[in-house]
Amino acid sequence: MMILTNALSQPFSLKTLSLKNRIVMAPMTRNFAPEGIPGEANATYYRRRAEADVGLILSEGTVIDRPASRNMPGIPFFHGEAALAGWKQVIDGVHAAGGRMGPQIWHVGSVKGPGDWEPEASLIESPSGLEAPGKPRGHAMTEEDIADTIAAFARAAADAKRLGFDTFELHGAHGYLIDQFFWSGTNLRTDRYGGASIRERSRFAVEVVKAARQAVGPDFPIILRLSQWKQQEYTARLAETPDAMTDWLLPLVEAGVDILHCSQRRFWEPEFPEVDGADGLNFAGWAKKLTGAATISVGSVGLSSDFLGSFQGEGSATQGLDDLVRRLERQEFDLVAVGRALLSDPQWATKTLRADTAALKDFSPAAMMELV
Ligand SMILES: Cc1cc2nc3c(=O)[nH]c(=O)nc-3n(C[C@H](O)[C@H](O)[C@H](O)COP(=O)(O)O)c2cc1C
């Protein structure tokens, strides 16, 4: 147990970001920001995790200034005076408790939310007017829409820095807008934002990263979240080989990303087992090896089953961290993001760092219904 404590409790620093340990709170949409404004309850929720030893908190996805950038009514805005004042309260509370935090900057593209609520249909936008391969939703973005969207991402990046956040994360994963550009199934464009190769389809993301970098200057760390899987198709993959992964990731790092947040459902799954075997590197491991960037791993840390089940009402039992720590020690990745375990138990990091495993609780999906 002492080994576990040592690896996760090491400090980490990159540019202006310095973290007291390797534990990151994964971004989790809570749908608890009425009218898109984070209030006292949201600030308290994040401050509790900062008080209980989380090294870096990533906020729930919070959306840019585009007319249909969110798909649920309780998703917070990251634009407008009232919402930004709410976020200022959040980061001030986290800092007062000794924590570090970045907002996750998001545009859902044309992905439909789980409830009945929808933005006005004519405003929904995506690369090619598709939600999933062969499934129309929203309109194909014009060049002007694209330019305005890139500018809105950059304004959000500048606001994150101005409000005092320590970093920010661009949400480029899970089949939302940026990922809809990456994915050949949803990007059928014939202009410079489309193309047969992942490198061509990365142009939109590269431009977003460059604009964000321009907005925050050279020393402010930028995180980009990516996934092979899409919620529209869990088996989809953008990169089938390490070479394809280099084509995808390296231009993004060269454009200004400092930390790649590599979203997997199960962190222990090797990304290319045909290359380095069953105990091979996971997605974050390969991303670090191929680009030299720092990486965050994520997926069922401390729990026995992946997060998909939680949306179907399934619980998940606590699980030891030996394999995770072994990978951290071999420097496969730099940081570890924890989702559900920290959603249901604000004290998870403190307990884990003290190796007080007996105090850890199983995850119950009931936790998703309240902001504890
Ligand atoms: C309730 C819930 C909301 C989530 N919302 C987001 C989100 O806004 N942005 C994002 O990138 N991932 C989101 N995710 C995925 C998590 O960040 C994380 O990758 C996933 O839960 C796997 O980690 P875990 O197994 O530790 O829970 C969400 C997951 C859950 C359970």
Side-chain angles (χ1 to χ4, degrees):
M1 290 319 268
M2 287 317 291
I3 295 173
L4 176 158
T5 301
N6 288 341
L8 279 172
S9 61
Q10 291 302 308
F12 172 84
S13 61
L14 198 158
K15 294 188 172 172
T16 55
L17 181 68
S18 55
L19 306 179
K20 57 189 173 193
N21 62 50
R22 305 299 177 107
I23 299 173
V24 177
M25 180 174 178
M28 283 176 287
T29 292
R30 303 308 314 274
N31 201 24
F32 278 112
E35 312 295 325
I37 315 288
E40 191 56 45
N42 310 85
T44 304
Y45 164 77
Y46 288 116
R47 192 174 62 235
R48 272 200 194 104
R49 274 78 183 165
E51 282 165 352
D53 295 321
V54 173
L56 175 65
I57 296 170
L58 293 172
S59 79
E60 61 209 285
T62 171
V63 296
I64 62 167
D65 188 9
R66 289 293 291 165
S69 55
R70 60 181 195 159
N71 61 7
M72 284 196 280
I75 291 176
F77 297 125
F78 205 75
H79 60 87
E81 216 172 297
L84 293 178
W87 281 117
K88 175 83 182 128
Q89 272 199 320
V90 171
I91 186 57
D92 287 352
V94 165
H95 281 165
R100 297 283 178 268
M101 182 170 185
Q104 189 193 44
I105 306 297
W106 193 21
H107 184 319
V108 301
S110 58
V111 173
K112 165 114 178 52
D116 293 334
W117 188 90
E118 289 197 63
E120 194 188 308
S122 66
L123 301 175
I124 298 171
E125 60 188 3
S126 62
S128 300
L130 296 173
E131 178 177 10
K135 190 175 170 201
R137 188 161 192 272
H139 65 266
M141 292 166 82
T142 62
E143 289 248 350
E144 191 183 348
D145 291 331
I146 289 179
D148 288 352
T149 302
I150 291 170
F153 270 112
R155 281 200 302 281
D159 283 335
K161 185 177 178 190
R162 182 173 59 81
L163 293 179
F165 283 97
D166 303 286
T167 180
F168 65 92
E169 173 170 283
L170 295 166
H171 193 344
H174 306 168
Y176 295 107
L177 183 70
I178 292 178
D179 201 18
Q180 290 186 324
F181 275 90
F182 287 136
W183 193 19
S184 60
T186 44
N187 182 348
L188 311 181
R189 299 180 73 96
T190 52
D191 64 2
R192 63 204 173 99
Y193 293 101
S197 69
I198 181 70
R199 192 178 272 268
E200 291 163 299
R201 296 191 307 275
S202 294
R203 177 186 287 270
F204 175 72
V206 164
E207 290 188 7
V208 169
V209 172
K210 282 185 177 162
R213 173 55 74 207
Q214 182 79 24
V216 298
D219 296 331
F220 197 70
I222 299 182
I223 306 173
L224 174 63
R225 195 170 220 218
L226 299 167
S227 63
Q228 296 263 34
W229 64 267
K230 322 288 158 221
Q231 63 190 292
Q232 298 92 325
E233 197 177 311
Y234 284 101
T235 53
R237 291 181 92 193
L238 297 174
E240 295 282 3
T241 63
D243 281 351
M245 187 170 275
T246 303
D247 278 351
W248 175 29
L249 304 184
L250 200 55
L252 296 163
V253 171
E254 287 169 354
V257 171
D258 299 296
I259 304 176
L260 292 165
H261 188 173
C262 300
S263 172
Q264 283 184 279
R265 285 158 57 196
R266 294 167 286 262
F267 75 84
W268 57 86
E269 290 185 344
E271 190 59 39
F272 300 116
E274 64 284 6
V275 179
D276 59 357
D279 186 37
L281 300 176
N282 72 8
F283 179 19
W286 274 102
K288 184 176 170 71
K289 178 184 161 110
L290 296 172
T291 66
T295 60
I296 307 175
S297 190
V298 65
S300 306
V301 170
L303 293 176
S304 59
S305 57
D306 79 67
F307 78 99
L308 267 192
S310 6
F311 291 108
Q312 272 108 50
E314 285 169 29
S316 197
T318 56
Q319 176 108 323
L321 297 177
D322 292 354
D323 186 31
L324 179 84
V325 170
R326 181 178 66 90
R327 288 168 184 268
L328 198 55
E329 287 191 331
R330 73 180 186 192
Q331 299 182 347
E332 185 169 338
F333 37 77
D334 300 279
L335 298 164
V336 172
V338 179
R340 290 162 297 153
L342 263 169
L343 185 156
S344 61
D345 184 0
Q347 300 290 321
W348 187 90
T350 301
K351 292 173 183 173
T352 297
L353 291 169
R354 287 186 192 151
D356 188 6
T357 42
L360 293 171
K361 300 180 230 163
D362 293 345
F363 174 77
S364 157
M368 299 201 296
M369 307 310 288
E370 51 179 348
L371 210 53
V372 177

